[in-house]
Amino acid sequence: MKQGENDTVYDVIRRNIKAFRKSKGWTSAQLAEAVGLSHDFLRQIESEKVRYNFSVETFYRISKALEVSMDQLATPQS
């Protein structure tokens, strides 16, 4: 899915999680371990195909592990 006006907040967050994770040089397995999630669960969160929705608690834990604010994860990047 391309970025667009029909994106949900989950679409924005999942793209940002992946982008911030990669900017830290982490694999999805490394982020999953830092957050205390299974690797498969984190891959589902990042997946544009599965489009798994996640809790605010999970969102918070991911933002802390990536050392970015929840606002940064929820704001569309240009």
Side-chain angles (χ1 to χ4, degrees), residues 17-36 39 42 46 61-68:
I17 288 171
K18 192 172 192 176
F20 281 111
R21 173 181 61 75
K22 287 184 172 188
S23 75
K24 286 185 76 79
W26 285 6
T27 65
S28 56
Q30 289 170 310
L31 178 56
E33 184 176 329
V35 177
H39 181 220
L42 185 67
E46 287 187 352
R61 289 169 43 199
I62 291 171
S63 76
K64 287 299 187 190
L66 292 174
E67 299 176 326
V68 297

Side-chain angles (χ1 to χ4, degrees), residues 1-67:
M1 174 188 255
K2 293 183 181 177
Q3 285 181 282
E5 59 189 49
N6 294 326
D7 287 351
T8 69
V9 68
Y10 286 103
D11 294 325
V12 172
I13 292 168
R14 79 179 82 256
R15 272 194 300 272
N16 287 343
I17 288 171
K18 192 172 192 176
F20 281 111
R21 173 181 61 75
K22 287 184 172 188
S23 75
K24 286 185 76 79
W26 285 6
T27 65
S28 56
Q30 289 170 310
L31 178 56
E33 184 176 329
V35 177
L37 299 172
S38 73
H39 181 220
D40 188 53
F41 184 70
L42 185 67
R43 285 184 332 155
Q44 289 176 19
I45 288 172
E46 287 187 352
S47 173
E48 303 247 349
K49 293 179 183 172
V50 176
R51 300 177 60 88
Y52 183 84
N53 294 340
F54 42 89
S55 70
V56 173
E57 174 67 23
T58 298
F59 178 46
Y60 173 76
R61 289 169 43 199
I62 291 171
S63 76
K64 287 299 187 190
L66 292 174
E67 299 176 326

